Amino acid sequence: MTATASTTAPVKPYNRPNIVAVGTIIWLSSELMFFAALFAMYFTIRAVQGPKVWFDSTSMLNVKFAAINTTVLVLSSVTCQFGVFAAERLQVRRTGKALQFSKWGMREWFALTFLMGAFFIGGQIFEYSSLVSQGINLSSRAYGSVFYITTGFHGLHVTGGLVAFLILLLRVNKARKFGHAQATQAIVVSYYWHFVDIVWIALFSAIYLIK
């Protein structure tokens, strides 16, 4: 009796999507609905108040300062993505001199992103203090309420992103080896950071540019 060769094809491994990344995307979708409600509130109250009342309030905004602050936040998405690229090639720290940006690892890019995000929050606090000194606070008028609620909730989300960067950097420093699990965490944090940046671009356009 002759032995017959097996015709069964080898089974390819099934690569499931990372559950943390999928969960983050679903959660960000719910956050998108939350900010959509804030936009609806902003434009509804604006329509009720009328263009003249709204323009009198928006004329107190420092658009140039807010544009600089916005530019810093948008550029932080670029530095964050460079950190992701470093994480994907499993490079946790720089391999060259401090000013050799091409040699930077995830840690340096994310640290710079953190500093830029902190700069944005500091600029937002400075703007709040300036508006309060001009008589626009949370309870002074309808415009003050919607301005502080919309920008304030976004500021809380940016602060949450800064905390996420700190936790990630601490975990990476404590880890004996930087592997795919740590790289996935870095990618997930970048999803969140890109999200808050995109939301702020929309907020900046609605609040500062469309007067």
PDB file of all heavy atoms in Angstrom, residues 94-128:
ATOM      1  N   ARG A  94      16.563  58.310  21.335  1.00  0.00           N
ATOM      2  CA  ARG A  94      17.421  58.783  20.254  1.00  0.00           C
ATOM      3  C   ARG A  94      18.727  57.980  20.168  1.00  0.00           C
ATOM      4  O   ARG A  94      19.235  57.486  21.174  1.00  0.00           O
ATOM      5  CB  ARG A  94      17.735  60.272  20.432  1.00  0.00           C
ATOM      6  CG  ARG A  94      18.491  60.635  21.693  1.00  0.00           C
ATOM      7  CD  ARG A  94      18.644  62.157  21.782  1.00  0.00           C
ATOM      8  NE  ARG A  94      19.223  62.579  23.058  1.00  0.00           N
ATOM      9  CZ  ARG A  94      20.515  62.698  23.296  1.00  0.00           C
ATOM     10  NH1 ARG A  94      21.392  62.414  22.332  1.00  0.00           N
ATOM     11  NH2 ARG A  94      20.963  63.097  24.468  1.00  0.00           N
ATOM     12  N   THR A  95      19.256  57.916  18.966  1.00  0.00           N
ATOM     13  CA  THR A  95      20.509  57.193  18.735  1.00  0.00           C
ATOM     14  C   THR A  95      21.644  58.124  18.350  1.00  0.00           C
ATOM     15  O   THR A  95      22.749  57.665  18.060  1.00  0.00           O
ATOM     16  CB  THR A  95      20.310  56.156  17.619  1.00  0.00           C
ATOM     17  OG1 THR A  95      19.849  56.814  16.431  1.00  0.00           O
ATOM     18  CG2 THR A  95      19.297  55.096  18.035  1.00  0.00           C
ATOM     19  N   GLY A  96      21.380  59.417  18.316  1.00  0.00           N
ATOM     20  CA  GLY A  96      22.399  60.393  17.975  1.00  0.00           C
ATOM     21  C   GLY A  96      22.393  61.543  18.950  1.00  0.00           C
ATOM     22  O   GLY A  96      21.951  61.410  20.100  1.00  0.00           O
ATOM     23  N   LYS A  97      22.881  62.688  18.505  1.00  0.00           N
ATOM     24  CA  LYS A  97      22.922  63.867  19.349  1.00  0.00           C
ATOM     25  C   LYS A  97      21.529  64.450  19.534  1.00  0.00           C
ATOM     26  O   LYS A  97      20.599  64.130  18.800  1.00  0.00           O
ATOM     27  CB  LYS A  97      23.872  64.902  18.745  1.00  0.00           C
ATOM     28  CG  LYS A  97      25.331  64.436  18.689  1.00  0.00           C
ATOM     29  CD  LYS A  97      26.223  65.521  18.111  1.00  0.00           C
ATOM     30  CE  LYS A  97      27.684  65.058  18.068  1.00  0.00           C
ATOM     31  NZ  LYS A  97      28.588  66.099  17.501  1.00  0.00           N
ATOM     32  N   ALA A  98      21.413  65.363  20.525  1.00  0.00           N
ATOM     33  CA  ALA A  98      20.102  65.897  20.882  1.00  0.00           C
ATOM     34  C   ALA A  98      19.446  66.664  19.738  1.00  0.00           C
ATOM     35  O   ALA A  98      18.224  66.641  19.590  1.00  0.00           O
ATOM     36  CB  ALA A  98      20.229  66.798  22.115  1.00  0.00           C
ATOM     37  N   LEU A  99      20.219  67.364  18.925  1.00  0.00           N
ATOM     38  CA  LEU A  99      19.668  68.162  17.833  1.00  0.00           C
ATOM     39  C   LEU A  99      19.591  67.401  16.516  1.00  0.00           C
ATOM     40  O   LEU A  99      19.197  67.975  15.497  1.00  0.00           O
ATOM     41  CB  LEU A  99      20.504  69.437  17.655  1.00  0.00           C
ATOM     42  CG  LEU A  99      20.476  70.408  18.838  1.00  0.00           C
ATOM     43  CD1 LEU A  99      21.320  71.641  18.528  1.00  0.00           C
ATOM     44  CD2 LEU A  99      19.046  70.813  19.185  1.00  0.00           C
ATOM     45  N   GLN A 100      19.941  66.125  16.523  1.00  0.00           N
ATOM     46  CA  GLN A 100      19.774  65.295  15.328  1.00  0.00           C
ATOM     47  C   GLN A 100      18.369  64.698  15.344  1.00  0.00           C
ATOM     48  O   GLN A 100      18.142  63.589  15.811  1.00  0.00           O
ATOM     49  CB  GLN A 100      20.829  64.186  15.297  1.00  0.00           C
ATOM     50  CG  GLN A 100      22.229  64.668  14.960  1.00  0.00           C
ATOM     51  CD  GLN A 100      23.215  63.509  14.874  1.00  0.00           C
ATOM     52  OE1 GLN A 100      23.475  62.826  15.866  1.00  0.00           O
ATOM     53  NE2 GLN A 100      23.767  63.297  13.683  1.00  0.00           N
ATOM     54  N   PHE A 101      17.415  65.479  14.822  1.00  0.00           N
ATOM     55  CA  PHE A 101      16.014  65.082  14.910  1.00  0.00           C
ATOM     56  C   PHE A 101      15.732  63.769  14.179  1.00  0.00           C
ATOM     57  O   PHE A 101      14.820  63.028  14.548  1.00  0.00           O
ATOM     58  CB  PHE A 101      15.120  66.195  14.370  1.00  0.00           C
ATOM     59  CG  PHE A 101      15.293  67.511  15.082  1.00  0.00           C
ATOM     60  CD1 PHE A 101      15.821  68.609  14.425  1.00  0.00           C
ATOM     61  CD2 PHE A 101      14.936  67.645  16.407  1.00  0.00           C
ATOM     62  CE1 PHE A 101      15.986  69.819  15.077  1.00  0.00           C
ATOM     63  CE2 PHE A 101      15.090  68.851  17.073  1.00  0.00           C
ATOM     64  CZ  PHE A 101      15.624  69.939  16.411  1.00  0.00           C
ATOM     65  N   SER A 102      16.498  63.498  13.133  1.00  0.00           N
ATOM     66  CA  SER A 102      16.294  62.251  12.391  1.00  0.00           C
ATOM     67  C   SER A 102      16.663  61.030  13.227  1.00  0.00           C
ATOM     68  O   SER A 102      16.265  59.906  12.896  1.00  0.00           O
ATOM     69  CB  SER A 102      17.108  62.256  11.097  1.00  0.00           C
ATOM     70  OG  SER A 102      18.496  62.380  11.379  1.00  0.00           O
ATOM     71  N   LYS A 103      17.424  61.243  14.309  1.00  0.00           N
ATOM     72  CA  LYS A 103      17.834  60.152  15.181  1.00  0.00           C
ATOM     73  C   LYS A 103      16.962  60.028  16.429  1.00  0.00           C
ATOM     74  O   LYS A 103      17.204  59.170  17.274  1.00  0.00           O
ATOM     75  CB  LYS A 103      19.294  60.335  15.607  1.00  0.00           C
ATOM     76  CG  LYS A 103      20.292  60.432  14.453  1.00  0.00           C
ATOM     77  CD  LYS A 103      20.419  59.130  13.700  1.00  0.00           C
ATOM     78  CE  LYS A 103      21.495  59.220  12.625  1.00  0.00           C
ATOM     79  NZ  LYS A 103      21.656  57.938  11.900  1.00  0.00           N
ATOM     80  N   TRP A 104      15.965  60.895  16.538  1.00  0.00           N
ATOM     81  CA  TRP A 104      15.115  60.866  17.732  1.00  0.00           C
ATOM     82  C   TRP A 104      14.269  59.605  17.775  1.00  0.00           C
ATOM     83  O   TRP A 104      13.875  59.057  16.737  1.00  0.00           O
ATOM     84  CB  TRP A 104      14.199  62.083  17.746  1.00  0.00           C
ATOM     85  CG  TRP A 104      14.853  63.310  18.330  1.00  0.00           C
ATOM     86  CD1 TRP A 104      16.183  63.515  18.519  1.00  0.00           C
ATOM     87  CD2 TRP A 104      14.204  64.494  18.783  1.00  0.00           C
ATOM     88  NE1 TRP A 104      16.415  64.739  19.070  1.00  0.00           N
ATOM     89  CE2 TRP A 104      15.222  65.369  19.251  1.00  0.00           C
ATOM     90  CE3 TRP A 104      12.886  64.906  18.863  1.00  0.00           C
ATOM     91  CZ2 TRP A 104      14.939  66.627  19.780  1.00  0.00           C
ATOM     92  CZ3 TRP A 104      12.596  66.160  19.380  1.00  0.00           C
ATOM     93  CH2 TRP A 104      13.614  67.009  19.835  1.00  0.00           C
ATOM     94  N   GLY A 105      13.969  59.191  19.003  1.00  0.00           N
ATOM     95  CA  GLY A 105      13.077  58.060  19.205  1.00  0.00           C
ATOM     96  C   GLY A 105      11.709  58.519  19.688  1.00  0.00           C
ATOM     97  O   GLY A 105      11.417  59.719  19.733  1.00  0.00           O
ATOM     98  N   MET A 106      10.881  57.568  20.053  1.00  0.00           N
ATOM     99  CA  MET A 106       9.531  57.890  20.490  1.00  0.00           C
ATOM    100  C   MET A 106       9.528  58.791  21.710  1.00  0.00           C
ATOM    101  O   MET A 106       8.710  59.708  21.825  1.00  0.00           O
ATOM    102  CB  MET A 106       8.783  56.586  20.803  1.00  0.00           C
ATOM    103  CG  MET A 106       7.306  56.776  21.141  1.00  0.00           C
ATOM    104  SD  MET A 106       6.682  55.540  22.286  1.00  0.00           S
ATOM    105  CE  MET A 106       7.442  56.084  23.818  1.00  0.00           C
ATOM    106  N   ARG A 107      10.420  58.553  22.646  1.00  0.00           N
ATOM    107  CA  ARG A 107      10.435  59.314  23.889  1.00  0.00           C
ATOM    108  C   ARG A 107      10.667  60.801  23.634  1.00  0.00           C
ATOM    109  O   ARG A 107       9.976  61.649  24.216  1.00  0.00           O
ATOM    110  CB  ARG A 107      11.520  58.764  24.818  1.00  0.00           C
ATOM    111  CG  ARG A 107      11.527  59.390  26.198  1.00  0.00           C
ATOM    112  CD  ARG A 107      12.552  58.716  27.094  1.00  0.00           C
ATOM    113  NE  ARG A 107      13.911  58.893  26.579  1.00  0.00           N
ATOM    114  CZ  ARG A 107      14.998  58.426  27.194  1.00  0.00           C
ATOM    115  NH1 ARG A 107      14.872  57.714  28.295  1.00  0.00           N
ATOM    116  NH2 ARG A 107      16.194  58.638  26.678  1.00  0.00           N
ATOM    117  N   GLU A 108      11.617  61.146  22.773  1.00  0.00           N
ATOM    118  CA  GLU A 108      11.914  62.555  22.507  1.00  0.00           C
ATOM    119  C   GLU A 108      10.766  63.243  21.776  1.00  0.00           C
ATOM    120  O   GLU A 108      10.373  64.370  22.121  1.00  0.00           O
ATOM    121  CB  GLU A 108      13.195  62.681  21.679  1.00  0.00           C
ATOM    122  CG  GLU A 108      14.476  62.363  22.445  1.00  0.00           C
ATOM    123  CD  GLU A 108      14.681  60.875  22.658  1.00  0.00           C
ATOM    124  OE1 GLU A 108      14.163  60.091  21.823  1.00  0.00           O
ATOM    125  OE2 GLU A 108      15.352  60.495  23.626  1.00  0.00           O
ATOM    126  N   TRP A 109      10.187  62.567  20.779  1.00  0.00           N
ATOM    127  CA  TRP A 109       9.087  63.169  20.021  1.00  0.00           C
ATOM    128  C   TRP A 109       7.863  63.356  20.891  1.00  0.00           C
ATOM    129  O   TRP A 109       7.183  64.404  20.815  1.00  0.00           O
ATOM    130  CB  TRP A 109       8.758  62.315  18.799  1.00  0.00           C
ATOM    131  CG  TRP A 109       9.744  62.421  17.681  1.00  0.00           C
ATOM    132  CD1 TRP A 109      10.553  61.430  17.191  1.00  0.00           C
ATOM    133  CD2 TRP A 109      10.038  63.587  16.905  1.00  0.00           C
ATOM    134  NE1 TRP A 109      11.336  61.908  16.175  1.00  0.00           N
ATOM    135  CE2 TRP A 109      11.041  63.228  15.962  1.00  0.00           C
ATOM    136  CE3 TRP A 109       9.565  64.891  16.910  1.00  0.00           C
ATOM    137  CZ2 TRP A 109      11.560  64.136  15.046  1.00  0.00           C
ATOM    138  CZ3 TRP A 109      10.088  65.800  15.996  1.00  0.00           C
ATOM    139  CH2 TRP A 109      11.065  65.412  15.081  1.00  0.00           C
ATOM    140  N   PHE A 110       7.555  62.389  21.737  1.00  0.00           N
ATOM    141  CA  PHE A 110       6.382  62.516  22.603  1.00  0.00           C
ATOM    142  C   PHE A 110       6.607  63.555  23.703  1.00  0.00           C
ATOM    143  O   PHE A 110       5.669  64.234  24.117  1.00  0.00           O
ATOM    144  CB  PHE A 110       6.027  61.161  23.207  1.00  0.00           C
ATOM    145  CG  PHE A 110       5.165  60.315  22.301  1.00  0.00           C
ATOM    146  CD1 PHE A 110       4.951  60.669  20.977  1.00  0.00           C
ATOM    147  CD2 PHE A 110       4.570  59.153  22.764  1.00  0.00           C
ATOM    148  CE1 PHE A 110       4.167  59.897  20.144  1.00  0.00           C
ATOM    149  CE2 PHE A 110       3.771  58.373  21.944  1.00  0.00           C
ATOM    150  CZ  PHE A 110       3.574  58.745  20.627  1.00  0.00           C
ATOM    151  N   ALA A 111       7.843  63.680  24.181  1.00  0.00           N
ATOM    152  CA  ALA A 111       8.142  64.714  25.175  1.00  0.00           C
ATOM    153  C   ALA A 111       7.939  66.101  24.573  1.00  0.00           C
ATOM    154  O   ALA A 111       7.389  67.010  25.218  1.00  0.00           O
ATOM    155  CB  ALA A 111       9.563  64.549  25.698  1.00  0.00           C
ATOM    156  N   LEU A 112       8.377  66.286  23.320  1.00  0.00           N
ATOM    157  CA  LEU A 112       8.176  67.566  22.644  1.00  0.00           C
ATOM    158  C   LEU A 112       6.690  67.824  22.417  1.00  0.00           C
ATOM    159  O   LEU A 112       6.212  68.964  22.579  1.00  0.00           O
ATOM    160  CB  LEU A 112       8.920  67.567  21.309  1.00  0.00           C
ATOM    161  CG  LEU A 112       8.794  68.840  20.461  1.00  0.00           C
ATOM    162  CD1 LEU A 112       9.273  70.070  21.234  1.00  0.00           C
ATOM    163  CD2 LEU A 112       9.575  68.692  19.155  1.00  0.00           C
ATOM    164  N   THR A 113       5.949  66.793  22.058  1.00  0.00           N
ATOM    165  CA  THR A 113       4.499  66.925  21.882  1.00  0.00           C
ATOM    166  C   THR A 113       3.837  67.349  23.189  1.00  0.00           C
ATOM    167  O   THR A 113       2.945  68.213  23.197  1.00  0.00           O
ATOM    168  CB  THR A 113       3.898  65.592  21.404  1.00  0.00           C
ATOM    169  OG1 THR A 113       4.550  65.188  20.195  1.00  0.00           O
ATOM    170  CG2 THR A 113       2.409  65.725  21.151  1.00  0.00           C
ATOM    171  N   PHE A 114       4.271  66.764  24.292  1.00  0.00           N
ATOM    172  CA  PHE A 114       3.729  67.128  25.604  1.00  0.00           C
ATOM    173  C   PHE A 114       3.976  68.610  25.893  1.00  0.00           C
ATOM    174  O   PHE A 114       3.078  69.321  26.363  1.00  0.00           O
ATOM    175  CB  PHE A 114       4.367  66.256  26.685  1.00  0.00           C
ATOM    176  CG  PHE A 114       3.966  66.637  28.088  1.00  0.00           C
ATOM    177  CD1 PHE A 114       2.833  66.087  28.656  1.00  0.00           C
ATOM    178  CD2 PHE A 114       4.715  67.541  28.818  1.00  0.00           C
ATOM    179  CE1 PHE A 114       2.445  66.446  29.941  1.00  0.00           C
ATOM    180  CE2 PHE A 114       4.341  67.898  30.096  1.00  0.00           C
ATOM    181  CZ  PHE A 114       3.206  67.352  30.664  1.00  0.00           C
ATOM    182  N   LEU A 115       5.179  69.093  25.626  1.00  0.00           N
ATOM    183  CA  LEU A 115       5.508  70.494  25.898  1.00  0.00           C
ATOM    184  C   LEU A 115       4.665  71.435  25.029  1.00  0.00           C
ATOM    185  O   LEU A 115       4.202  72.481  25.507  1.00  0.00           O
ATOM    186  CB  LEU A 115       6.992  70.743  25.638  1.00  0.00           C
ATOM    187  CG  LEU A 115       7.970  70.058  26.604  1.00  0.00           C
ATOM    188  CD1 LEU A 115       9.412  70.310  26.173  1.00  0.00           C
ATOM    189  CD2 LEU A 115       7.746  70.535  28.033  1.00  0.00           C
ATOM    190  N   MET A 116       4.433  71.064  23.799  1.00  0.00           N
ATOM    191  CA  MET A 116       3.612  71.895  22.915  1.00  0.00           C
ATOM    192  C   MET A 116       2.160  71.911  23.361  1.00  0.00           C
ATOM    193  O   MET A 116       1.483  72.951  23.319  1.00  0.00           O
ATOM    194  CB  MET A 116       3.741  71.397  21.478  1.00  0.00           C
ATOM    195  CG  MET A 116       5.158  71.517  20.933  1.00  0.00           C
ATOM    196  SD  MET A 116       5.406  70.736  19.319  1.00  0.00           S
ATOM    197  CE  MET A 116       4.624  71.930  18.228  1.00  0.00           C
ATOM    198  N   GLY A 117       1.662  70.765  23.823  1.00  0.00           N
ATOM    199  CA  GLY A 117       0.307  70.717  24.356  1.00  0.00           C
ATOM    200  C   GLY A 117       0.173  71.537  25.626  1.00  0.00           C
ATOM    201  O   GLY A 117      -0.839  72.225  25.842  1.00  0.00           O
ATOM    202  N   ALA A 118       1.188  71.481  26.480  1.00  0.00           N
ATOM    203  CA  ALA A 118       1.176  72.283  27.710  1.00  0.00           C
ATOM    204  C   ALA A 118       1.210  73.775  27.376  1.00  0.00           C
ATOM    205  O   ALA A 118       0.570  74.593  28.052  1.00  0.00           O
ATOM    206  CB  ALA A 118       2.358  71.903  28.596  1.00  0.00           C
ATOM    207  N   PHE A 119       1.962  74.135  26.335  1.00  0.00           N
ATOM    208  CA  PHE A 119       1.987  75.530  25.881  1.00  0.00           C
ATOM    209  C   PHE A 119       0.595  75.981  25.457  1.00  0.00           C
ATOM    210  O   PHE A 119       0.167  77.105  25.771  1.00  0.00           O
ATOM    211  CB  PHE A 119       2.971  75.680  24.721  1.00  0.00           C
ATOM    212  CG  PHE A 119       3.042  77.071  24.143  1.00  0.00           C
ATOM    213  CD1 PHE A 119       3.963  77.977  24.643  1.00  0.00           C
ATOM    214  CD2 PHE A 119       2.209  77.457  23.109  1.00  0.00           C
ATOM    215  CE1 PHE A 119       4.030  79.268  24.118  1.00  0.00           C
ATOM    216  CE2 PHE A 119       2.270  78.742  22.580  1.00  0.00           C
ATOM    217  CZ  PHE A 119       3.183  79.648  23.085  1.00  0.00           C
ATOM    218  N   PHE A 120      -0.126  75.122  24.752  1.00  0.00           N
ATOM    219  CA  PHE A 120      -1.484  75.448  24.316  1.00  0.00           C
ATOM    220  C   PHE A 120      -2.396  75.691  25.513  1.00  0.00           C
ATOM    221  O   PHE A 120      -3.168  76.662  25.532  1.00  0.00           O
ATOM    222  CB  PHE A 120      -2.039  74.318  23.441  1.00  0.00           C
ATOM    223  CG  PHE A 120      -3.483  74.499  23.067  1.00  0.00           C
ATOM    224  CD1 PHE A 120      -3.835  75.310  22.000  1.00  0.00           C
ATOM    225  CD2 PHE A 120      -4.485  73.861  23.781  1.00  0.00           C
ATOM    226  CE1 PHE A 120      -5.170  75.491  21.658  1.00  0.00           C
ATOM    227  CE2 PHE A 120      -5.813  74.026  23.458  1.00  0.00           C
ATOM    228  CZ  PHE A 120      -6.159  74.851  22.385  1.00  0.00           C
ATOM    229  N   ILE A 121      -2.334  74.824  26.503  1.00  0.00           N
ATOM    230  CA  ILE A 121      -3.177  74.992  27.689  1.00  0.00           C
ATOM    231  C   ILE A 121      -2.811  76.284  28.422  1.00  0.00           C
ATOM    232  O   ILE A 121      -3.693  77.031  28.875  1.00  0.00           O
ATOM    233  CB  ILE A 121      -3.028  73.783  28.628  1.00  0.00           C
ATOM    234  CG1 ILE A 121      -3.626  72.536  27.980  1.00  0.00           C
ATOM    235  CG2 ILE A 121      -3.713  74.050  29.971  1.00  0.00           C
ATOM    236  CD1 ILE A 121      -5.118  72.617  27.730  1.00  0.00           C
ATOM    237  N   GLY A 122      -1.521  76.579  28.528  1.00  0.00           N
ATOM    238  CA  GLY A 122      -1.110  77.825  29.149  1.00  0.00           C
ATOM    239  C   GLY A 122      -1.637  79.034  28.400  1.00  0.00           C
ATOM    240  O   GLY A 122      -2.076  80.022  29.008  1.00  0.00           O
ATOM    241  N   GLY A 123      -1.607  78.971  27.066  1.00  0.00           N
ATOM    242  CA  GLY A 123      -2.150  80.057  26.257  1.00  0.00           C
ATOM    243  C   GLY A 123      -3.639  80.213  26.437  1.00  0.00           C
ATOM    244  O   GLY A 123      -4.175  81.338  26.469  1.00  0.00           O
ATOM    245  N   GLN A 124      -4.346  79.101  26.588  1.00  0.00           N
ATOM    246  CA  GLN A 124      -5.788  79.162  26.795  1.00  0.00           C
ATOM    247  C   GLN A 124      -6.112  79.802  28.146  1.00  0.00           C
ATOM    248  O   GLN A 124      -7.055  80.605  28.250  1.00  0.00           O
ATOM    249  CB  GLN A 124      -6.371  77.749  26.714  1.00  0.00           C
ATOM    250  CG  GLN A 124      -7.869  77.718  26.495  1.00  0.00           C
ATOM    251  CD  GLN A 124      -8.376  76.322  26.171  1.00  0.00           C
ATOM    252  OE1 GLN A 124      -7.890  75.335  26.709  1.00  0.00           O
ATOM    253  NE2 GLN A 124      -9.344  76.229  25.285  1.00  0.00           N
ATOM    254  N   ILE A 125      -5.356  79.471  29.176  1.00  0.00           N
ATOM    255  CA  ILE A 125      -5.561  80.076  30.498  1.00  0.00           C
ATOM    256  C   ILE A 125      -5.297  81.575  30.434  1.00  0.00           C
ATOM    257  O   ILE A 125      -6.042  82.386  31.014  1.00  0.00           O
ATOM    258  CB  ILE A 125      -4.653  79.400  31.536  1.00  0.00           C
ATOM    259  CG1 ILE A 125      -5.073  77.940  31.740  1.00  0.00           C
ATOM    260  CG2 ILE A 125      -4.685  80.153  32.869  1.00  0.00           C
ATOM    261  CD1 ILE A 125      -4.137  77.147  32.621  1.00  0.00           C
ATOM    262  N   PHE A 126      -4.245  81.975  29.719  1.00  0.00           N
ATOM    263  CA  PHE A 126      -3.934  83.397  29.561  1.00  0.00           C
ATOM    264  C   PHE A 126      -5.076  84.124  28.858  1.00  0.00           C
ATOM    265  O   PHE A 126      -5.455  85.241  29.241  1.00  0.00           O
ATOM    266  CB  PHE A 126      -2.635  83.564  28.773  1.00  0.00           C
ATOM    267  CG  PHE A 126      -2.319  84.985  28.425  1.00  0.00           C
ATOM    268  CD1 PHE A 126      -1.746  85.833  29.364  1.00  0.00           C
ATOM    269  CD2 PHE A 126      -2.596  85.479  27.147  1.00  0.00           C
ATOM    270  CE1 PHE A 126      -1.459  87.163  29.038  1.00  0.00           C
ATOM    271  CE2 PHE A 126      -2.308  86.799  26.822  1.00  0.00           C
ATOM    272  CZ  PHE A 126      -1.739  87.641  27.769  1.00  0.00           C
ATOM    273  N   GLU A 127      -5.645  83.494  27.836  1.00  0.00           N
ATOM    274  CA  GLU A 127      -6.756  84.110  27.111  1.00  0.00           C
ATOM    275  C   GLU A 127      -7.985  84.242  28.002  1.00  0.00           C
ATOM    276  O   GLU A 127      -8.685  85.259  27.963  1.00  0.00           O
ATOM    277  CB  GLU A 127      -7.088  83.286  25.866  1.00  0.00           C
ATOM    278  CG  GLU A 127      -8.139  83.941  24.981  1.00  0.00           C
ATOM    279  CD  GLU A 127      -8.443  83.133  23.745  1.00  0.00           C
ATOM    280  OE1 GLU A 127      -8.201  81.901  23.766  1.00  0.00           O
ATOM    281  OE2 GLU A 127      -8.916  83.713  22.756  1.00  0.00           O
ATOM    282  N   TYR A 128      -8.247  83.223  28.805  1.00  0.00           N
ATOM    283  CA  TYR A 128      -9.376  83.299  29.737  1.00  0.00           C
ATOM    284  C   TYR A 128      -9.228  84.488  30.681  1.00  0.00           C
ATOM    285  O   TYR A 128     -10.180  85.246  30.913  1.00  0.00           O
ATOM    286  CB  TYR A 128      -9.475  82.007  30.551  1.00  0.00           C
ATOM    287  CG  TYR A 128     -10.061  80.825  29.810  1.00  0.00           C
ATOM    288  CD1 TYR A 128     -10.151  79.573  30.422  1.00  0.00           C
ATOM    289  CD2 TYR A 128     -10.514  80.943  28.498  1.00  0.00           C
ATOM    290  CE1 TYR A 128     -10.676  78.484  29.750  1.00  0.00           C
ATOM    291  CE2 TYR A 128     -11.038  79.862  27.825  1.00  0.00           C
ATOM    292  CZ  TYR A 128     -11.119  78.629  28.448  1.00  0.00           C
ATOM    293  OH  TYR A 128     -11.647  77.555  27.777  1.00  0.00           O
TER     294      TYR A 128
END
